[in-house]
C-alpha cells in the first residue's frame, strides 16, 4: 500500500516523522508524493503559533477530500495539533480515522492497522513518556545532513509558549541511544548532525543530575564520517564555560550557535518569563565572540508582545544594531490560548506588530549586507546542496548557514560536484563563491 506522509512545523517534528516513516517502511509500505496515489495519508501537525495552526487545519481538510475523490482509505493525524485539539479533530473532521499525541508516535503501525480495518483509533500517552523505537529511521533531508533530537519537552514555561502543555516537561534522550542513532546516521551517509530540542543546552540535567551537552558533543565528534555538528536552540542562560570550550576545541563542531533571546528590554523579558536580562545577554554574546572570534550567532525575536511600548521597540532596534547578529529572524507575537500572555492587558494591534517586524528586518538586512561584503576575498569550506539548473554553478551552505532557516550561497565551477560534497571556495561576492579546491 502507498502512504503519503506530510510533516509540518519544526525540525523536531521532522525527526519524529522520520522515525514513523522508518517504522512504516519496515512493514513494507511504499512512500509516495502524490495525494491521489495514496491509500493512507499521515499528517504530522504543528500548532505553535496561529499561522502554524491554520496550516495544519487546512492540510488536514485538503487531505480529507481524497476520502471522497481519490483512493484514500485511511487518514491519520499526529503531532502537536493532535495532542492539543484531539476532541475537535475527532468530532469536526469525521474523515480522520486515527489520532496520535506527541508522545505516541511509536504507535503509528497500530494506528494504520486499525484505520484500515475501519476502526477509529486514539492514542494519547502521558506527556512524560519518551518513545523508544528500534526500527531504522529514514532521513528525508537528502541524506547528507540529519537532525538529532536530543530531548523532548520544556521546563521554562515562557508566558507566550504552549509547548510544555503539548510536549510535556523537559526530558533528555539517554546518551547511549543518541550515540547509537548518530552512528547509524553516519553509516547511512549523513555528514552533518544538527542537534535539536526545545532546549539543547539543558541536555542531561534531568537524568544525570548535571548538564551533559559538552560530553555528548565530544562523543559525537568521535564518530567517523560526521564532518559537521551544529547546535540549535541554545538558551543563553544555560551556556556554560565548558560548552564554549568544547565548541572552540572540537574541529567538527560548527562555530555557529542558535541563541533565541526573543527581546532585549528587561521589562518585556520579565513579562515573557525569560530568565536573562539585557546586560546578561550582552555579556554572553561578548564572551562567545571573545572565545570564538569567528562564531556565527543566530537569534530570534518576538515583536509586538503585550505591553511593548515604542520606546521598548526602539531599545530592541538599538540592541540589534549594536550586537550585529549574523543571522536573525523576527516573529510577530501570536496570542495562544491557555497561555498567560494571551490574557495580558495592552495587546498590540497586528498592524503595529507587522510594522515593527519590518523595521527590525530592514535593519538586519543592512547588517547582513555589510557582513557579506566583509567576507569577500576569504576562503571557506562549503557543503554542496545541489546544482543550479543549466548553469555551471551549485548551491551550498557554509558553517554559518543552517538548512532551511539561513541562506544558500552559489559556487561557480566547471567541476562536477555532488550533494554532500565539501568544497573549498573563495568568496567573490555577497552570495557568490568560486571553487578553489574540492575536499571529499
Amino acid at each position: 500500500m502507498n502512504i503519503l506522509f506530510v510533516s509540518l512545523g519544526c525540525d523536531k517534528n521532522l525527526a519524529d516523522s522520520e522515525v514513523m516513516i522508518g517504522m512504516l517502511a519496515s512493514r513494507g509500505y511504499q512512500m509516495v508524493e502524490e495525494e491521489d496515489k495514496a491509500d493512507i495519508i499521515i499528517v504530522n501537525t504543528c500548532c505553535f503559533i496561529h499561522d502554524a495552526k491554520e496550516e495544519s487545519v487546512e492540510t488536514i481538510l485538503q487531505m480529507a477530500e481524497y476520502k471522497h475523490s481519490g483512493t484514500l482509505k485511511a487518514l491519520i493525524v499526529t503531532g502537536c495539533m493532535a495532542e492539543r485539539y484531539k476532541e475537535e479533530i475527532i468530532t469536526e473532521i469525521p474523515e480522520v480515522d486515527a489520532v496520535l499525541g506527541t508522545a505516541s508516535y511509536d504507535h503509528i503501525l497500530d494506528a494504520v492497522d486499525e484505520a484500515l480495518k475501519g476502526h477509529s483509533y486514539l492514542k494519547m500517552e502521558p506527556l512524560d513518556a519518551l518513545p523508544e523505537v528500534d526500527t531504522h529511521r529514514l532521513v528525508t533531508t537528502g541524506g547528507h545532513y540529519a537532525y538529532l533530537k536530543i530531548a523532548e519537552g520544556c521546563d521554562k514555561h515562557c508566558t507566550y509558549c504552549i509547548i510544555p502543555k503539548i510536549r510535556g516537561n523537559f526530558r533528555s534522550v539517554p546518551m547511549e541511544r543518541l550515540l547509537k542513532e548518530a552512528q547509524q546516521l553516519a553509516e547511512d551517509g549523513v555528514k552533518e548532525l544538527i542537534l535539536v530540542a526545545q532546549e539543547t543546552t539543558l541536555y542531561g540535567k534531568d537524568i544525570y543530575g548535571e548538564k551533559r551537552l559538552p560530553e555528548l558533543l565530544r562523543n559525537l565528534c568521535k564518530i567517523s564520517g560526521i564532518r559537521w555538528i551544529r547546535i540549535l536552540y541554545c538558551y543563553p542562560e544555560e551556556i556554560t564555560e565548558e560548552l564554549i570550550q568544547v565548541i572552540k576545541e572540537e574541529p567538527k563542531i560548527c562555530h555557529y550557535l542558535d541563541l533565541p533571546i526573543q527581546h532585549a528590554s528587561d521589562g518585556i523579558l520579565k513579562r515573557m518569563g525569560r530568565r536573562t536580562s539585557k546586560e546578561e545577554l550582552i555579556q554572553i554574546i561578548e564572551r562567545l565572540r571573545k572565545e570564538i572570534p569567528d562564531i556565527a550567532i543566530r537569534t530570534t525575536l518576538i515583536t509586538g508582545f503585550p505591553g511593548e511600548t515604542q520606546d521598548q521597540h526602539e531599545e530592541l532596534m538599538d540592541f540589534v544594531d549594536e550586537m550585529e547578529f549574523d543571522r536573525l529572524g523576527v516573529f510577530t507575537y501570536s496570542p495562544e490560548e491557555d497561555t498567560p500572555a494571551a490574557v495580558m492587558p495592552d495587546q498590540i494591534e497586528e498592524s503595529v506588530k507587522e510594522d515593527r517586524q519590518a523595521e527590525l528586518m530592514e535593519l538586519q538586512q543592512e547588517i547582513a549586507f555589510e557582513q557579506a561584503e566583509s567576507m569577500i576575498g576569504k576562503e571557506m569550506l562549503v557543503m554542496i546542496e545541489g546544482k543550479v539548473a543549466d548553469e555551471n554553478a551549485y548551491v551550498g551552505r557554509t558553517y554559518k548557514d543552517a538548512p532551511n532557516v539561513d541562506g544558500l550561497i552559489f559556487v561557480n565551477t566547471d567541476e562536477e560536484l555532488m550533494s554532500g560534497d565539501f568544497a573549498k571556495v573563495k568568496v567573490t561576492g555577497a552570495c557568490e563563491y568560486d571553487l578553489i579546491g574540492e575536499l571529499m
Side-chain angles (χ1 to χ4, degrees), residues 98-142:
V99 177
L100 296 178
T102 55
S104 308
Y105 59 82
D106 53 334
H107 294 276
I108 188 63
L109 294 178
D110 292 338
V112 170
D113 289 344
E114 292 302 308
L116 290 176
K117 292 175 185 176
H119 302 158
S120 60
Y121 186 85
L122 172 66
K123 191 68 173 180
M124 295 286 158
E125 293 285 359
L127 286 182
D128 59 356
L130 192 62
E132 182 173 1
V133 177
D134 292 329
T135 310
H136 194 93
R137 171 183 161 193
L138 288 186
V139 174
T140 61
T141 52

Side-chain angles (χ1 to χ4, degrees), residues 264-320:
S265 163
D266 286 346
I268 295 298
L269 288 168
K270 186 175 182 179
R271 286 168 68 87
M272 286 180 167
R274 303 293 291 181
R275 305 190 183 192
T276 46
S277 66
K278 177 181 176 181
E279 184 57 36
E280 288 168 337
L281 291 173
I282 292 172
Q283 291 174 2
I284 291 164
I285 293 165
E286 288 180 346
R287 179 65 179 160
L288 285 166
R289 287 174 169 165
K290 179 182 177 182
E291 289 294 320
I292 313 169
D294 64 341
I295 193 168
I297 297 179
R298 173 182 176 81
T299 195
T300 49
L301 304 173
I302 296 174
T303 190
F305 190 78
E308 182 189 53
T309 64
Q310 182 62 28
D311 285 345
Q312 288 169 327
H313 168 65
E314 291 175 4
E315 182 180 4
L316 180 57
M317 291 279 290
D318 290 341
F319 179 82
V320 170

Side-chain angles (χ1 to χ4, degrees), residues 68 79 135 196 237 244 302 329 409 411:
H68 311 291
T135 310
V196 297
E237 68 270 20
I244 294 173
I302 296 174
I409 56 95
V411 179

Side-chain angles (χ1 to χ4, degrees), residues 5-6 308-309 385:
F5 205 111
V6 182
E308 182 189 53
T309 64
E385 292 280 5

Side-chain angles (χ1 to χ4, degrees), residues 66-80:
Y66 289 93
K67 275 284 191 83
H68 311 291
S69 61
T71 59
L72 185 61
K73 299 178 179 64
L75 177 59
I76 299 171
V77 178
T78 70
C80 291

Side-chain angles (χ1 to χ4, degrees), residues 10-19 44 102-103 105 130-131 137 146-153 167 171-174 177-178 181 185 193-198 200 203 216:
C10 65
D11 38 43
K12 299 174 287 294
N13 225 30
L14 180 61
D16 294 345
S17 296
E18 291 176 347
V19 171
N44 195 8
T102 55
Y105 59 82
L130 192 62
R137 171 183 161 193
Y147 298 101
L148 184 67
K149 189 164 82 167
I150 67 173
E152 181 61 274
R167 287 280 177 179
R171 51 209 191 276
S172 303
V173 179
R177 282 173 54 181
L178 293 174
E181 182 178 0
L185 290 169
L193 281 180
I194 305 171
L195 273 55
V196 297
Q198 301 301 332
T200 53
Y203 173 77
L216 174 63

